[in-house]
Amino acid sequence: MRDDAEQRNDAATWSPLNSDDWYAARDATTALRDALVRAGLEKDFPYLRADLNAFGHGFVELGRVSPATAERLAELLRLALASVPQHLEDHGDGAAKHDAGKD
């Protein structure tokens, strides 16, 4: 019976460092951090971090931001979306394809 317990990957032996979701969340957080730095918003997202939930699913925690920061981020997104060529919009966006793989 003890041998069975040693072979199981339970909460006592599980590590986020063994999780692909952790590395995906960390890499996405790093990419977002770098973009925020280029946009001059590095100090406006103090709660930005990679995280795992209780089920081991990776997440990027954006945290709370000021209304001014939210307006600035909205403006940056509007500008980015306005610069996307129309033919890319007609074929769907990467976010929809990315979300489709989660089901």
Side-chain angles (χ1 to χ4, degrees), residues 22-57:
W22 164 248
Y23 288 102
R26 188 187 67 172
D27 292 345
T29 301
T30 300
L32 181 56
R33 180 203 62 205
D34 293 347
L36 291 169
V37 168
R38 285 192 306 275
L41 294 171
E42 66 272 9
K43 294 185 179 184
D44 296 310
F45 285 83
Y47 300 102
L48 179 65
R49 66 186 179 107
D51 201 1
L52 289 178
N53 68 7
F55 303 102
H57 301 143

Side-chain angles (χ1 to χ4, degrees), residues 52-69:
L52 289 178
N53 68 7
F55 303 102
H57 301 143
F59 289 93
V60 176
E61 176 71 38
L62 300 177
R64 299 178 302 247
V65 298
S66 70
T69 298

Side-chain angles (χ1 to χ4, degrees), residues 1-102:
M1 187 145 158
R2 181 167 163 77
D3 292 334
D4 291 338
E6 289 177 8
Q7 292 176 358
R8 263 189 315 212
N9 189 14
D10 64 12
T13 62
W14 180 83
S15 168
L17 298 178
N18 297 330
S19 167
D20 289 339
D21 279 358
W22 164 248
Y23 288 102
R26 188 187 67 172
D27 292 345
T29 301
T30 300
L32 181 56
R33 180 203 62 205
D34 293 347
L36 291 169
V37 168
R38 285 192 306 275
L41 294 171
E42 66 272 9
K43 294 185 179 184
D44 296 310
F45 285 83
Y47 300 102
L48 179 65
R49 66 186 179 107
D51 201 1
L52 289 178
N53 68 7
F55 303 102
H57 301 143
F59 289 93
V60 176
E61 176 71 38
L62 300 177
R64 299 178 302 247
V65 298
S66 70
T69 298
E71 288 292 334
R72 173 79 173 124
L73 183 59
E75 181 61 23
L76 289 171
L77 289 170
R78 278 192 291 274
L79 291 170
L81 291 172
S83 70
V84 174
Q86 183 62 38
H87 72 278
L88 290 178
E89 292 176 5
D90 292 341
H91 292 101
D93 63 339
K97 290 177 187 174
H98 177 73
D99 288 341
K102 296 256 180 194

